[in-house]
């Protein structure tokens, strides 16, 4: 038990628990490496294909990746009502874009890496993605899910109006999404 460390971090005046496990076993390290686990994965990981990951679990995988290398911003934390960004290697982000509509890819240079790519997702596609990622989810990063839940509570009337005006699947209609992104960003 002395290899598990608990850390309390503050984010926006709230405290969150995080845990770190330190293992010093060369055999275990090699086994994990052979299974595909390695350091700096954000810079080199590739998106899994269908032989590795069934389509039915794709949004569970995206949620797990998002929990590690994604960011959710709401009106509480930014000027936008809702925006999601995910970082990664260019091949990973380009593959991810195939599953998430209406996002933009931006290349950035950071202190630690030359080729980091940000996938910024507009408000309507962010709503769509969060609905997909958190539908029936039991495992997720609490603080990110909490931001999504708070957003849903704050904008529940707007979300219900959208469902009423455009139907239950309003968030998958590309014309509706294009229109709403225009309205939201014009008023931001």
């Amino acid at each position: 038990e002395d290899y598990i460390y608990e850390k309390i971090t503050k984010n926006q005046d709230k405290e969150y628990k995080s845990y770190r496990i330190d293992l010093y076993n060369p055999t275990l390290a090699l086994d994990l490496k052979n299974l595909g686990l390695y350091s700096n994965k954000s810079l080199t990981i590739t998106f899994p294909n269908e032989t590795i990951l069934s389509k039915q679990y794709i949004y569970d995988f995206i949620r797990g990746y998002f929990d590690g290398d994604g960011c959710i911003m709401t009106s509480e934390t930014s000027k936008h009502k809702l925006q999601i960004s995910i970082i990664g290697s260019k091949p990973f982000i380009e593959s991810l874009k195939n599953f998430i509509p209406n996002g933009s890819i931006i290349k950035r240079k950071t202190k630690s890496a030359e080729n980091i790519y940000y996938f910024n997702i507009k408000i309507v596609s962010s709503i769509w993605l969060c609905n997909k990622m958190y539908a029936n989810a039991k495992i997720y990063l609490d603080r990110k899910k909490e931001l999504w839940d708070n957003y849903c509570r704050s904008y529940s009337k707007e979300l219900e109006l959208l469902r009423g005006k455009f139907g239950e699947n309003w968030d998958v209609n590309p014309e509706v999404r294009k229109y709403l992104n225009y309205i939201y960003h014009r008023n931001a």
Side-chain angles (χ1 to χ4, degrees), residues 122-129 170-171 176-177 180-181 184:
K122 297 177 182 179
I123 185 168
V124 177
S125 293
S126 291
I127 293 169
W128 177 85
L129 178 60
W170 66 270
D171 55 345
V176 172
R177 280 214 301 259
L180 291 173
N181 275 319
Y184 279 122

Side-chain angles (χ1 to χ4, degrees), residues 166-182:
F166 298 112
E168 187 62 34
N169 294 322
W170 66 270
D171 55 345
V172 296
N173 182 324
E175 290 302 313
V176 172
R177 280 214 301 259
K178 184 177 176 183
Y179 167 75
L180 291 173
N181 275 319
Y182 169 75

Side-chain angles (χ1 to χ4, degrees), residues 130-131 147-157 159:
C130 285
N131 279 326
L147 282 170
W148 169 241
D149 290 342
N150 288 341
Y151 174 84
C152 288
R153 279 190 288 281
S154 297
Y155 293 96
S156 63
K157 288 181 183 171
L159 293 171

Side-chain angles (χ1 to χ4, degrees), residues 100-156:
I100 303 168
N102 297 334
S104 58
I105 299 174
I106 301 167
K107 181 180 178 183
R108 294 258 169 88
K109 191 180 199 179
T110 66
K111 291 179 183 177
S112 60
E114 286 282 319
N115 296 316
I116 288 288
Y117 288 81
Y118 285 76
F119 185 44
N120 294 321
I121 305 162
K122 297 177 182 179
I123 185 168
V124 177
S125 293
S126 291
I127 293 169
W128 177 85
L129 178 60
C130 285
N131 279 326
K132 289 281 196 182
M133 287 193 310
Y134 292 119
N136 303 314
K138 303 217 182 326
I139 299 172
Y140 44 79
L141 191 61
D142 290 339
R143 65 184 164 84
K144 290 182 181 180
K145 174 74 162 61
E146 187 177 305
L147 282 170
W148 169 241
D149 290 342
N150 288 341
Y151 174 84
C152 288
R153 279 190 288 281
S154 297
Y155 293 96
S156 63

Side-chain angles (χ1 to χ4, degrees), residues 74-89:
T74 65
S75 56
E76 296 175 22
T77 59
S78 82
K79 67 178 184 170
H80 301 289
K81 292 183 180 180
L82 180 69
Q83 181 176 340
I84 288 179
S85 63
I86 300 173
I87 66 166
S89 66

Side-chain angles (χ1 to χ4, degrees), residues 38 40-47 61 65-66 68-71 85-97 104-110 113-120:
Y38 51 91
N40 296 323
K41 69 169 176 30
S42 299
L43 304 176
T44 57
I45 191 171
T46 57
F47 203 86
F61 171 80
Y65 189 87
F66 167 75
D69 286 331
C71 176
S85 63
I86 300 173
I87 66 166
S89 66
K90 185 177 183 178
F92 184 89
I93 294 297
E94 286 176 342
S95 295
L96 178 64
K97 192 173 184 342
S104 58
I105 299 174
I106 301 167
K107 181 180 178 183
R108 294 258 169 88
K109 191 180 199 179
T110 66
E114 286 282 319
N115 296 316
I116 288 288
Y117 288 81
Y118 285 76
F119 185 44
N120 294 321

